[in-house]
Amino acid sequence: SAILRVQGLRQKAGLTDPTITRHLIFVGNPGTGKTTVARLVSGIYKALGLLSKGQLVEVDRSELVAGYLGQTAIKTSEMCAKAKGGVLFIDEAYSLSGDQYGEEAINTLVKEMEDNRQDLVVIVAGYPKPMAKFIDENPGLNSRFRTTIEFDDNTDDELIGIFSGMAAKADYDVSDDVVTAFKVQLSRQVRDETFGNGRFARNLLEAAIGRHAWRLRDVTEPTLEQLRTLVPEDLMEPATPPAPVVAEGQLQPPDAAGSIAPVEFPAVPQDQA
């Protein structure tokens, strides 16, 4: 916003209006909001007059790289044309490294960024270390991506807020006991780069909604309170029931995989066979 204001004042004063690099690097673990913020950035740039349309086009390697050389450039150019006037968001952009097909996509992308620098913004996203290596290994990208925004992992309080907010938006009531159950599930998670952050909260809520529906499966006309209320058990994996005791010589019921478990029958004396 400050850049746009000053550029306007410079134009009024008859000064040169340089093209400022607006492309961005988003680094962070899954579920930290990179795609959501990319969508917000596209709207902000549109409101500031930096982009003509403000749409977000989200792609990954499969949507930029074709099966053979020559077609990759066409495919990448088509996606850039689709994003022109808005933001092209490339998730896990470092997946383009390592082969000639990805290299062709990168070279085409650099050309498109240069040709459409007035009306195309590219945001690349992914894990911090691979992303830094990806940018450093490509001089064309290194000169065009000058701003990196880091997305920190969510704190426990933030994840509780995300879970409660999504539940409220879906018209479910979350009590203190349910929040406690959420904390228990959260404490069991390994908080490394595979942790889903906000995605974990969303997945846990969706699983809870499924268990809530299962609880009400035999209730013909549940009350409004029953339809709205989640309970702590809805957030917990059901305990595995003990295996049934089967008398010798009887067939066992199907196991969890749906197959019949083998049964040992008593030996029959040879003279009675």
Side-chain angles (χ1 to χ4, degrees):
S1 178
I3 289 172
L4 186 64
R5 173 181 173 273
V6 172
Q7 283 182 332
L9 294 174
R10 286 174 56 87
Q11 287 176 355
K12 288 182 180 180
L15 300 174
T16 300
D17 181 18
T19 300
I20 304 298
T21 300
R22 294 166 287 174
H23 309 296
L24 302 170
I25 303 170
F26 287 180
V27 295
N29 289 329
T32 49
K34 298 186 293 296
T35 304
T36 299
V37 174
R39 189 171 291 110
L40 293 173
V41 166
S42 65
I44 291 170
Y45 280 3
K46 169 66 168 59
L48 293 175
L50 300 176
L51 293 172
S52 61
K53 298 177 182 178
Q55 79 278 19
L56 177 75
V57 177
E58 183 179 356
V59 299
D60 56 20
R61 176 188 168 93
S62 66
E63 290 160 299
L64 298 175
V65 174
Y68 49 92
L69 291 176
Q71 290 299 310
T72 289
I74 297 174
K75 197 172 183 180
T76 301
S77 294
E78 288 175 348
M79 296 310 301
C80 289
K82 185 178 179 181
K84 186 177 179 181
V87 171
L88 180 67
F89 181 79
I90 308 176
D91 196 19
E92 296 187 355
Y94 37 74
S95 63
L96 296 172
S97 296
D99 60 44
Q100 55 187 340
Y101 300 100
E103 191 66 28
E104 182 181 3
I106 292 172
N107 293 336
T108 304
L109 179 64
V110 170
K111 182 179 184 302
E112 293 288 343
M113 291 168 67
E114 182 62 28
D115 293 346
N116 301 293
R117 59 185 179 275
Q118 297 288 356
D119 204 23
L120 175 66
V121 169
V122 177
I123 299 177
V124 292
Y127 293 113
K129 290 182 179 179
M131 186 59 69
K133 183 179 179 181
F134 169 67
I135 297 297
D136 289 342
E137 288 180 348
N138 295 275
L141 296 177
N142 190 281
S143 63
R144 287 166 176 81
F145 289 95
R146 309 306 304 170
T147 303
T148 299
I149 298 177
E150 297 182 5
F151 289 70
D152 294 331
D153 288 334
N154 296 127
T155 65
D156 286 5
D157 288 341
E158 287 171 342
L159 290 170
I160 291 169
I162 290 171
F163 175 82
S164 301
M166 288 190 298
K169 188 175 181 179
D171 285 332
Y172 285 93
D173 294 329
V174 174
S175 66
D176 291 342
D177 289 339
V178 172
V179 171
T180 299
F182 178 84
K183 291 179 180 178
V184 170
Q185 293 285 40
L186 186 58
S187 68
R188 297 172 178 172
Q189 304 302 310
V190 178
R191 306 290 279 271
D192 57 14
E193 64 179 17
T194 64
F195 179 65
N197 286 282
R199 199 172 301 162
F200 163 79
R202 182 185 64 197
N203 291 343
L204 193 60
L205 175 62
E206 290 178 355
I209 290 173
R211 296 189 188 104
H212 166 267
W214 183 250
R215 281 195 298 108
L216 300 181
R217 67 190 183 280
D218 295 327
V219 181
T220 305
E221 295 185 5
T223 65
L224 179 61
E225 181 180 2
Q226 287 176 312
L227 290 171
R228 291 184 58 100
T229 303
L230 295 176
V231 299
E233 289 73 22
D234 293 333
L235 274 72
M236 302 297 179
E237 290 288 346
T240 303
V245 178
V246 181
E248 185 179 23
Q250 291 183 343
L251 286 174
Q252 295 184 10
D255 60 18
S259 61
I260 300 297
V263 178
E264 290 290 338
F265 286 92
V268 179
Q270 192 67 31
D271 59 348
Q272 298 180 16

